[in-house]
């Protein structure tokens, strides 16, 4: 036998499927008769009971004034329901995008509200359940941009959940609402560790990569030294020999690139997420120091570079590493 909990879950599943089919995800949504739900508020239900009671009294005492009051209150309630529905009808919501963030931070969705001409909108409430909510009026301007934030838990893509937009304007006797699912997504980068791992044997590598001389090279003249047995004749400094009568050998050096490399394989700690968090911290540090760096993780190679675009590219690679729908 199904328990009450299972029955509630089943009904909720049917409701979710019905709403998803009726209100599919889109980047731009205009609220119309098909997309707006409306019910009387608790106050309106009390008013209806009062109207019914007055109507019964009017019948019992054959009082025309009571009839007039009943019909006046009923017409007022119907007009209120119409104007509450009209306060949402025709409103267009456009998702402008989701700002990137780090895992554990708030992802910010920017939405543009546009109303039809000569139809001001009042007391529009946009909200995510248990998250951010905002109430706005759309009176003087025809468009208005609103930002809403939502918690994130892991890296990858953040897809905004279904947004609820509602109003009780003008009297609070009716509640009109709709759901909007935006077909957009934003990046969530790995949460950077507070202090990145510093390998003990990294000093030499960083020095080499820092543009210092590499002895024993073959490209640039580095100086002369005393001749040693076995030195080739091509490296003997004959001009110095002519001056001093003593043999000297020319030395050469190479210069490595200034670029640093962030290597997946150089991180000793286990776990994908931990490694990504360390690499994320290093990307932020190198970017802040305006250094040139590259990124090498399994299956992805980003050549050295610097700047905002390069940082965003590296962070995106870390955010989508191993993500199926990347």
């Amino acid at each position: 036998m199904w328990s009450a909990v299972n029955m509630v879950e089943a009904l909720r599943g049917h409701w979710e499927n019905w709403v998803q089919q009726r209100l599919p995800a889109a980047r731009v949504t205009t609220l119309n008769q098909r997309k707006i739900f409306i019910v009387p508020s608790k106050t309106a239900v009390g008013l209806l009971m009062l109207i019914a009671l007055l109507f019964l009294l009017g019948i019992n005492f054959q009082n025309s004034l009571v009839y007039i009051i009943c019909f006046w209150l009923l017409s007022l309630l119907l007009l209120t329901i119409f104007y509450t529905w009209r306060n949402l009808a025709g409103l267009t919501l456009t998702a402008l995008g989701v700002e990137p963030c780090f895992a554990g931070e708030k992802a910010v969705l920017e939405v543009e509200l546009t109303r039809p001409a000569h139809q001001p909108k009042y007391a529009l409430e946009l909200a995510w359940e248990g998250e951010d909510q905002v109430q706005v009026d759309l009176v003087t301007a025809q468009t208005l941009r609103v930002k809403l934030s939502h918690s994130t838990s892991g890296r990858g893509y953040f897809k905004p959940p279904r947004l609820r937009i509602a109003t009780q304007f003008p009297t609070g006797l009716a509640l009109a609402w709709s759901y909007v699912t935006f077909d957009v997504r934003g990046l969530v980068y790995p949460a950077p560790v507070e202090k990145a791992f510093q390998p003990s044997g990294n000093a030499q590598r960083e020095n080499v990569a820092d543009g210092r001389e590499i002895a024993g090279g073959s490209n640039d003249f580095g100086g002369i030294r005393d001749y040693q047995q076995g030195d080739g004749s091509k490296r003997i400094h004959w001009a110095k020999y002519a001056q001093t009568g003593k043999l000297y050998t020319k030395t050469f050096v190479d210069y490595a690139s200034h670029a640093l490399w962030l290597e997946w394989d150089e991180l000793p700690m286990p776990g994908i997420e931990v490694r990504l968090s360390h690499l994320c911290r290093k990307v932020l540090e190198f970017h802040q120091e305006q250094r040139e760096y590259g990124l090498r993780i399994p299956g992805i190679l980003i050549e050295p570079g610097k700047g905002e675009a390069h940082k965003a590219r590296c962070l995106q690679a870390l955010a989508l590493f191993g993500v199926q729908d990347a």
Side-chain angles (χ1 to χ4, degrees):
M1 292 182 61
W2 275 24
S3 65
V5 176
N6 291 335
M7 187 174 295
V8 171
E9 291 296 328
L11 290 175
R12 182 176 298 175
H14 286 299
W15 165 256
E16 293 291 336
N17 293 333
W18 183 80
V19 171
Q20 189 172 0
Q21 292 176 1
R22 190 178 180 90
L23 306 172
R27 193 177 188 91
V28 181
T29 299
T30 299
L31 303 183
N32 52 29
Q33 185 176 1
R34 178 181 171 81
K35 298 177 180 177
I36 297 176
F37 309 95
I38 187 166
V39 294
S41 66
K42 293 180 181 178
T43 307
V45 173
L47 181 61
L48 282 173
M49 294 175 66
L50 176 63
I51 293 173
L53 179 61
L54 289 176
F55 189 75
L56 291 176
L57 291 175
I59 293 174
N60 187 46
F61 295 103
Q62 292 296 312
N63 191 318
S64 300
L65 180 60
V66 175
Y67 288 140
I68 292 174
I69 294 175
C70 288
F71 289 121
W72 178 74
L73 289 176
L74 189 60
S75 60
L76 177 64
L77 181 58
L78 293 176
L79 282 175
T80 294
I81 292 175
F82 170 74
Y83 277 103
T84 302
W85 172 84
R86 191 172 181 269
N87 197 43
L88 278 187
L91 185 68
T92 300
L93 296 93
T94 306
L96 300 179
V98 181
E99 298 176 5
C101 67
F102 295 95
E105 294 182 347
K106 296 273 189 178
V108 178
L109 169 69
E110 187 171 16
V111 181
E112 184 177 78
L113 306 178
T114 305
R115 64 168 174 83
H118 311 299
Q119 286 191 27
K121 307 293 184 184
Y122 302 89
L124 302 173
E125 183 179 294
L126 293 86
W128 278 311
E129 186 176 0
E131 296 285 345
D132 199 7
Q133 64 178 28
V134 63
Q135 182 171 308
V136 297
D137 295 325
L138 201 56
V139 181
T140 56
Q142 196 166 351
T143 62
L144 178 67
R145 293 188 175 185
V146 176
K147 289 186 176 182
L148 292 162
S149 62
H150 194 286
S151 302
T152 61
S153 56
R155 66 177 176 88
Y157 282 121
F158 168 76
K159 297 179 181 178
R162 194 166 56 213
L163 182 69
R164 183 177 185 267
I165 178 168
T167 183
Q168 290 186 318
F169 181 84
T171 61
L173 294 176
L175 170 64
W177 80 96
S178 184
Y179 297 111
V180 180
T181 304
F182 292 114
D183 188 17
V184 294
R185 60 184 183 180
L187 282 172
V188 180
Y189 304 137
V193 295
E194 292 187 3
K195 187 176 182 180
F197 171 74
Q198 298 292 342
S200 57
N202 201 41
Q204 182 179 356
R205 181 180 182 82
E206 291 211 7
N207 287 341
V208 171
D210 205 21
R212 295 189 178 186
E213 295 179 355
I214 301 176
S218 59
N219 292 323
D220 298 301
F221 179 71
I224 59 176
R225 60 171 171 78
D226 292 338
Y227 173 80
Q228 297 178 358
Q229 191 173 1
D231 289 343
S233 59
K234 291 183 179 180
R235 294 209 169 193
I236 293 177
H237 200 296
W238 294 109
K240 195 71 175 177
Y241 174 75
Q243 294 176 356
T244 63
K246 185 177 178 182
L247 290 176
Y248 290 93
T249 301
K250 292 182 287 188
T251 62
F252 295 86
V253 296
D254 288 337
Y255 288 90
S257 169
H258 288 264
L260 296 167
W261 277 97
L262 297 175
E263 301 273 3
W264 175 276
D265 293 332
E266 289 187 355
L267 297 175
M269 68 283 295
I272 294 176
E273 300 304 324
V274 177
R275 290 190 178 196
L276 292 174
S277 295
H278 278 269
L279 291 173
C280 182
R281 169 56 64 190
K282 295 299 292 184
V283 168
L284 298 178
E285 287 180 359
F286 289 164
H287 174 73
Q288 188 175 13
E289 296 167 0
Q290 298 184 349
R291 304 178 76 171
E292 189 174 347
Y293 59 93
L295 176 66
R296 186 181 288 119
I297 58 179
I300 298 175
L301 173 65
I302 298 179
E303 295 293 340
K306 62 181 181 179
E308 286 291 338
H310 184 69
K311 182 190 75 170
R313 188 182 174 198
C314 292
L315 291 177
Q316 179 177 352
L318 297 177
L320 301 182
F321 179 74
V323 176
Q324 293 297 328
D325 59 346

